[in-house]
Amino acid sequence: NSPAPLPERAIYGFALFLGSWFGFILYLIWAYVPETWLFSLGLTYWPQKYWAVALPAYLLVAVGIGYVLLFGINMMSTAPLNSTRTITDNYAKKQQHKKFQEEAIPALRDVPISEVNRMFFLPEK
Amino acid sequence: MEGERPYLSASGAPLSLRRRQHSASCRELAVRCPRLQLRSLSAATSAVWLAAYGLFALCQNSMVLSAAIFLTLAGLIIYLHFVKIDQESLLVIGSLGIQVTSSYASGKESTTFIEMSRVKDVVINEAVHMQKVIYYLCILLQDPQDPEGVSEVVPLFQSSKPRLDCLIEVYKSCQEILDQRKTAPQSS
């Protein structure tokens, strides 16, 4: 799964490039060419030109609201000050205690908050 | 030991901590919040009255002015009685429990008592609060049937929010009392 360039990725990239140019030219034709000319070509069932202006406007407003929405979702999922999620969680509650071995690096574990507090705040300097 | 020291709250307002030792196993720690400033009170009142006068200039209805005066008075009374906390205190009695008292600016006091068998520990925890990380003191409660787990967290000093130096003082005082219940013989 490396990000190195591959022949398949070059082909996908070029196909996307051509596709996006085609889509853009089609959008410009839809927005600017008068309806009578399109009707004379036989293209009668295209959407109203109103949407050629409305859709970009909707998109930009949605992006702006998305910033506010993301901020709000972040604030809502922050744990309140009185919840036990600020102290522990399921993985910490179910952790196994490995035995202490001499000359070995101690196993990784969640230290209880009472121990941490004692170590930080109680010794006299 | 008696004494008052000056400290700061998390937002920079000056606080004072008062410690009193009533006996060998009973201590009271009180944090006094900054008083209601005259300039913020005048600013709020002037803003409301200016807005009311502007509205009166638009609609020429004098009820707007009387409503503004009534709103200001009612808002001030509600703020002093329900919102503005004057002092928060913690009374730790070694064999009995912990009592948390908040006194409001209007004189109202609300207390909560937690008995010692439910108290697991008093710790300083850090958490994310309103786009900041703050230190706050909290009481960890345990279920009597399950002494290893934390069933509930009770945050203390919520409206004064003292900084870490003040919290360390309160923490050390509480730990001295809580240590006594380990050395004292267990009575069930």
Side-chain angles (χ1 to χ4, degrees):
Chain A
N1 282 1
S2 72
L6 294 173
E8 292 92 19
R9 290 180 177 167
I11 296 176
Y12 298 154
F14 190 60
L16 270 178
F17 170 72
L18 285 183
S20 61
W21 264 113
F22 175 68
F24 184 54
I25 302 291
L26 195 65
Y27 171 76
L28 286 180
I29 291 175
W30 171 44
Y32 281 108
V33 172
E35 279 213 320
T36 45
W37 295 16
L38 291 175
F39 287 169
S40 66
L41 283 173
L43 307 162
T44 55
Y45 211 59
W46 279 21
Q48 279 185 323
K49 284 176 186 292
Y50 160 81
W51 291 108
V53 182
L55 283 177
Y58 272 125
L59 209 64
L60 288 174
V61 173
V63 167
I65 290 183
Y67 275 112
V68 181
L69 198 70
L70 190 65
F71 193 68
I73 290 180
N74 269 328
M75 282 182 76
M76 277 176 59
S77 33
T78 310
L81 292 188
N82 64 349
S83 93
T84 51
R85 284 196 291 153
T86 53
I87 301 216
T88 183
D89 64 358
N90 273 334
Y91 298 102
K93 283 183 200 155
K94 294 196 183 115
Q95 63 180 346
Q96 288 123 1
H97 301 272
K98 301 208 170 72
K99 270 196 345 187
F100 175 71
Q101 290 170 330
E102 297 284 337
E103 307 273 335
I105 300 175
L108 194 64
R109 71 177 182 107
D110 181 48
V111 183
I113 187 171
S114 311
E115 257 181 69
V116 175
N117 266 250
R118 262 190 279 278
M119 188 194 73
F120 274 141
F121 303 125
L122 277 187
E124 301 294 314
K125 298 226 168 109
Chain B
M1 62 207 97
E2 318 257 332
E4 288 207 30
R5 314 272 171 82
Y7 289 101
L8 288 180
S9 83
S11 51
L15 305 170
S16 68
L17 169 72
R18 192 191 59 192
R19 291 184 291 186
R20 291 174 62 181
Q21 172 135 357
H22 297 285
S23 85
S25 64
C26 174
R27 280 208 190 138
E28 182 178 6
L29 301 126
V31 172
R32 181 174 288 125
C33 308
R35 307 297 187 133
L36 181 62
Q37 301 273 11
L38 186 61
R39 53 172 179 230
S40 51
L41 180 62
S42 331
T45 311
S46 322
V48 172
W49 286 359
L50 271 174
Y53 191 70
L55 212 59
F56 170 69
L58 272 171
C59 66
Q60 295 297 324
N61 185 2
S62 66
M63 283 298 288
V64 173
L65 299 175
S66 348
I69 296 177
F70 178 69
L71 264 175
T72 320
L73 277 175
L76 184 64
I77 292 180
I78 289 178
Y79 177 70
L80 290 180
H81 194 68
F82 291 109
V83 175
K84 178 91 187 79
I85 289 189
D86 193 33
Q87 173 176 289
E88 291 170 304
S89 76
L90 193 67
L91 178 68
V92 185
I93 306 177
S95 48
L96 207 56
I98 300 182
Q99 175 170 291
V100 183
T101 314
S102 313
S103 24
Y104 292 82
S106 65
K108 172 175 101 161
E109 285 195 6
S110 89
T111 61
T112 313
F113 179 75
I114 304 166
E115 54 186 359
M116 212 31 117
S117 63
R118 281 179 64 201
V119 170
K120 183 165 194 261
D121 202 1
V122 172
V123 300
I124 298 180
N125 191 14
E126 349 172 307
V128 177
H129 176 76
M130 302 290 264
Q131 292 84 44
K132 268 200 297 204
V133 176
I134 58 165
Y135 289 101
Y136 64 105
L137 196 72
C138 57
I139 306 179
L140 303 179
L141 301 185
Q142 70 193 7
D143 228 0
Q145 290 92 23
D146 175 28
E148 289 303 312
V150 176
S151 72
E152 219 184 302
V153 171
V154 177
L156 304 174
F157 302 126
Q158 286 289 82
S159 35
S160 44
K161 289 202 180 59
R163 288 190 178 170
L164 190 61
D165 44 6
C166 181
L167 289 180
I168 293 180
E169 294 294 327
V170 180
Y171 174 75
K172 284 185 186 157
S173 289
C174 290
Q175 284 296 319
E176 281 167 24
I177 307 266
L178 290 177
D179 279 340
Q180 292 171 5
R181 58 176 182 165
K182 290 192 200 86
T183 53
Q186 291 287 339
S187 58
S188 48

